[in-house]
Amino acid sequence: MSFTLHGLGVSGGIAIGRAMLMSHATLEVSHLTISQRMVDKEIARFDAAIKAVKGELETMKETTEHAPAELAAFIDIHTMFLEDPELVDKPRAIIRERRCNAEWALVQQMEDLVEQFEQFEDPYLRERKFDVVQVVERVIKELLGHPGRAVMKAAKGVTEEMLIVVAHDLSPADVITFKEHRFASFITDVGGATSHTAILARSLAIPSVVGMENARALIRDGEQLIVDGKRGVVIVNPDVRVLEEYQLRKNQIELEKSKLKRLKTAKSQTLDGVDVQLYANIELPGDVPGALDAGAEGIGLFRTEFLFLDRGDMPDEQEQYEAYRKVVKGMAGRPVTIRTFDLGNDKDLRPDGMSGDRVKTNPALGRRAIRLSLAEPRMFQTQLRAILRASKHGPIKLLIPMLAHAHEIDQTLAALEQAKSSLRGEKVAFDENIPVGGMIEIPAAALAIGLFLRRLDFLSVGTNDLIQYTLAIDRSDEQVSSLYDPLHPAVLMLIAHTLASAEKVNIPVSLCGEMAGDPKLTRLLLGMGLRNFSMHPSQILEVKSRVLKADVADLAPTVRRMLRLDEPGKLQEALEKLNG
Ligand code: PEP
Ligand code: MG
């Protein structure tokens, strides 16, 4: 029977293949009673499994190229659990006392621990129960004779490229393992738009859908699946007609992709000779090769907070420095725009002493991003020093998120001066002239743009938030997502005002929200005067293809007229005409 499931498409493209269910090893465990003389042997078997999994994690950390710091940290957490007496000594005692098999003893202890973690008030600590389960799963798989990579059991004659992994959830370590394989796609039951699974899915660049809720329960091993990663749709057992239709679309997408690859080295210039910079947005140092592969001329937005999400502690200066240096070195002389932590709101880190316990009613309007950094001077200094130190390895620009007030800019610049002066005192080299830019994400900032232009070296328009705040639409709430409209006249007016005002005083502006990567909007933005786009690497070549066909001198007067239209229907019509 054919049916369709819906989730959240986190990485575009179409995949057609066979379902491979990732097993829940803990569910396969049965209770066996062992004889007294087998007890020592059973404990030895348990110890060997722990050792093997530790070794596996260690190898994974060492051998995975470009392993982002965040993922390495996850492996460390899992390794730490494998050294914890609660997870190592207790099951041994259970085996001895209850004369049961190692798997059963471990699952009993896991359930106990999960219960304890659930009692924690701190949501971060509560979440760690998932790490306990993931670690135990690994050990159980080892004990059951299908270690960590057991998920990769392909049926005879089926290659990895034909397999679609169906999982309840994937740990970051699983995702690293995926980097060594070539699966067609993966889909998971859980995961929202900002879950680390979704974030990492993008770096794999295979079609994937998360948040399917019960894909694992409804899909059976070996069933044929179509995954539409753009629309977040999975078709199970498609009929011949649907299959043909998708095969055709898949072929078209692949053909277009391979044609686009030829544009990688083409100069990004319009027909009338206007240079347009196409930069990449990245979340992790491991995204750098993908950015270079897409021909990115620089990094327009490095969302540093992603490096350390899901960690309980704040990374120290050295760790941050190494992450930033890796990106700068990887980009080999191309500019790298590092944004200071945009924590709070949907991306919460909760290190000691931060955030507090109060449940916030409007986190998007609360103490997030620069507001949080200024409220936590020690944390801010650590990050600023790390960024400054990395600036001696290549061109870095510093970008500040969520600015609204002049005094926030002044305080930020003072904090930067303090970091510089401490480094000078220690005779540590850095770029004295590091450019400082501000994100235009709050309507007030776009309207009072003069404050920003007088104080900063460059601006970057964050349309994701600008739309959220202009239209009062929570960008993560799917119930109002139909009202989230980049083409709302008010949004366009704010962008146009920012671009025009900055041009008058020769301050460069980039746009790094999702709008920059939408090829339908390339001509409109060019016509508005935008010359610096920053987007997810997978979008760069398509946007470049639009740039190459555009004539700015032609577009500008048409777009000016368009911006005077404040009837959405007319605007939409004009946009279609513009894209011809
Ligand atoms: C934005 O708001 O447009 C932006 C680029 O920042 P983020 O998506 O990280 O909030
Ligand atoms: Mg933002």
Side-chain angles (χ1 to χ4, degrees):
M1 189 190 62
S2 173
F3 58 95
T4 304
L5 298 169
H6 296 266
L8 192 75
V10 288
S11 186
I14 288 170
I16 300 175
R18 296 274 161 195
M20 180 176 68
L21 264 61
M22 197 162 157
S23 73
H24 266 286
T26 45
L27 301 178
E28 294 173 19
V29 167
S30 38
H31 184 191
L32 304 172
T33 309
I34 56 172
S35 64
Q36 186 59 47
R37 63 190 174 80
M38 289 299 287
V39 165
D40 284 341
K41 262 199 176 148
E42 194 62 8
I43 291 176
R45 194 169 75 87
F46 172 73
D47 289 349
I50 297 272
K51 197 170 156 204
V53 173
K54 262 201 223 163
E56 193 190 326
L57 289 175
E58 212 167 287
T59 319
M60 196 184 281
K61 195 171 163 182
E62 281 164 10
T63 58
T64 309
E65 254 189 288
H66 315 298
E70 184 218 22
L71 296 175
F74 252 88
I75 295 176
D76 289 342
I77 291 183
H78 286 194
T79 308
M80 201 180 75
F81 275 124
L82 287 173
E83 281 159 5
D84 192 320
E86 286 291 314
L87 214 62
V88 183
D89 294 349
K90 283 270 174 69
R92 283 196 196 117
I94 297 175
I95 297 172
R96 198 170 289 288
E97 281 157 24
R98 302 195 210 162
R99 294 216 332 259
C100 63
N101 52 325
E103 294 89 339
W104 184 256
L106 185 56
V107 170
Q108 300 315 300
Q109 180 57 11
M110 176 194 83
E111 282 169 359
D112 246 28
L113 283 174
V114 165
E115 213 168 285
Q116 287 174 32
F117 275 94
E118 275 168 353
Q119 309 294 323
F120 284 119
E121 271 189 20
D122 184 327
Y124 175 79
L125 288 176
R126 243 185 358 251
E127 294 260 303
R128 299 285 64 79
K129 71 178 181 204
F130 296 115
D131 292 307
V132 173
V133 173
Q134 280 172 356
V135 146
V136 168
E137 287 241 346
R138 278 187 182 279
V139 180
I140 301 269
K141 280 176 188 164
E142 180 68 36
L143 284 165
L144 291 174
H146 45 102
R149 315 279 163 94
V151 53
M152 318 306 173
K153 54 171 190 340
K156 267 213 180 90
V158 178
T159 63
E160 277 179 2
E161 288 85 348
M162 301 173 191
L163 291 175
I164 294 170
V165 177
V166 183
H168 178 66
D169 194 7
L170 293 173
S171 73
D174 285 326
V175 182
I176 293 191
T177 310
F178 276 28
K179 286 197 190 238
E180 297 159 18
H181 295 260
R182 288 297 323 153
F183 294 112
S185 163
F186 77 79
I187 59 183
T188 62
D189 285 341
V190 299
T194 57
S195 66
H196 56 245
T197 309
I199 293 153
L200 295 167
R202 273 182 261 148
S203 70
L204 287 175
I206 54 174
S208 36
V209 182
V210 301
M212 307 271 315
E213 290 186 12
N214 34 28
R216 246 191 69 86
L218 296 172
I219 297 171
R220 284 195 299 255
D221 244 333
E223 278 184 318
Q224 187 163 44
L225 305 180
I226 297 174
V227 178
D228 183 338
K230 191 168 176 190
R231 292 191 299 139
V233 170
V234 175
I235 304 170
V236 187
N237 291 324
D239 61 39
V240 183
R241 196 183 44 76
V242 173
L243 196 60
E244 276 172 6
E245 198 181 299
Y246 272 92
Q247 189 64 55
L248 203 69
R249 271 174 59 188
K250 181 173 174 331
N251 294 348
Q252 274 165 354
I253 292 174
E254 272 157 22
L255 193 71
E256 277 157 26
K257 251 193 181 161
S258 69
K259 273 201 225 152
L260 283 175
K261 281 214 176 105
R262 290 187 223 141
L263 298 182
K264 180 182 162 182
T265 51
K267 192 161 193 266
S268 168
Q269 198 176 59
T270 61
L271 288 174
D272 52 339
V274 176
D275 287 330
V276 177
Q277 269 85 47
L278 301 180
Y279 284 10
N281 290 353
I282 61 164
E283 275 93 32
L284 302 162
D287 296 334
V288 166
L292 290 172
D293 214 36
E297 294 160 76
I299 301 297
L301 173 65
F302 177 7
R303 293 178 160 106
T304 55
E305 65 278 4
F306 277 83
L307 278 171
F308 312 112
L309 283 180
D310 286 326
R311 276 182 52 150
D313 59 341
M314 190 47 95
D316 65 18
E317 184 182 313
Q318 186 60 18
E319 203 176 337
Q320 290 191 48
Y321 161 69
E322 275 159 23
Y324 306 145
R325 185 187 56 182
K326 202 166 168 188
V327 172
V328 174
K329 288 223 159 198
M331 290 306 289
R334 296 171 187 83
V336 173
T337 315
I338 301 184
R339 181 176 74 181
T340 58
F341 293 143
D342 186 354
L343 289 165
N345 192 27
D346 54 340
K347 293 175 281 193
D348 214 348
L349 186 67
R350 300 186 171 271
D352 283 349
M354 268 172 51
S355 300
D357 294 320
R358 192 164 65 88
V359 177
K360 298 168 194 76
T361 27
N362 283 308
L365 304 181
R367 192 190 256 186
R368 64 173 281 208
I370 190 60
R371 301 170 186 179
L372 184 60
S373 293
L374 290 173
E376 296 285 338
R378 276 232 312 266
M379 172 190 89
F380 199 30
Q381 280 299 309
T382 304
Q383 185 173 34
L384 291 173
R385 280 174 54 99
I387 296 172
L388 283 169
R389 281 174 57 198
S391 71
K392 80 160 192 271
H393 299 289
I396 288 185
K397 297 187 205 175
L398 186 67
L399 181 61
I400 312 298
M402 287 283 299
L403 289 164
H405 300 270
H407 60 76
E408 286 167 338
I409 309 176
D410 296 339
Q411 282 177 50
T412 300
L413 295 175
L416 181 65
E417 194 41 50
Q418 187 189 337
K420 281 181 174 178
S421 122
S422 69
L423 289 173
R424 274 184 218 116
E426 294 162 28
K427 306 227 175 324
V428 176
F430 63 90
D431 175 7
E432 284 280 357
N433 300 313
I434 188 166
V436 185
M439 290 201 63
I440 303 298
E441 308 185 89
I442 302 177
L447 292 168
I449 197 76
L451 301 176
F452 291 74
L453 296 170
R454 281 193 291 280
R455 288 172 168 80
L456 295 163
D457 302 311
F458 69 97
L459 303 177
S460 187
V461 187
T463 48
N464 305 341
D465 277 315
L466 187 64
I467 298 168
Q468 146 162 287
Y469 296 126
T470 306
L471 304 180
I473 300 294
D474 183 339
R475 65 191 256 202
S476 56
D477 183 349
E478 67 282 352
Q479 291 185 0
V480 286
S481 62
S482 62
L483 299 173
Y484 187 91
D485 179 15
L487 287 179
H488 191 290
V491 173
L492 295 181
M493 280 178 209
L494 291 171
I495 300 173
H497 178 61
T498 304
L499 289 168
S501 313
E503 200 191 341
K504 276 192 206 138
V505 289
N506 255 330
I507 295 276
V509 184
S510 75
L511 193 149
C512 62
E514 294 300 299
M515 281 179 83
D518 184 346
K520 288 193 298 299
L521 303 179
T522 309
R523 291 168 73 82
L524 172 67
L525 292 169
L526 283 171
M528 286 168 79
L530 185 69
R531 299 290 176 263
N532 190 326
F533 295 63
S534 191
M535 66 204 84
H536 192 259
S538 62
Q539 296 303 113
I540 291 181
L541 291 175
E542 202 172 341
V543 169
K544 194 192 253 187
S545 73
R546 308 287 171 121
V547 169
L548 296 175
K549 286 189 217 135
D551 185 319
V552 169
D554 236 25
L555 284 172
T558 318
V559 169
R560 255 200 308 277
R561 278 196 299 280
M562 248 179 100
L563 293 179
R564 285 200 286 269
L565 300 171
D566 53 8
E567 267 307 318
K570 286 195 177 145
L571 239 162
Q572 189 60 44
E573 212 176 282
L575 181 70
E576 277 159 28
K577 226 161 124 195
L578 190 75
N579 287 332

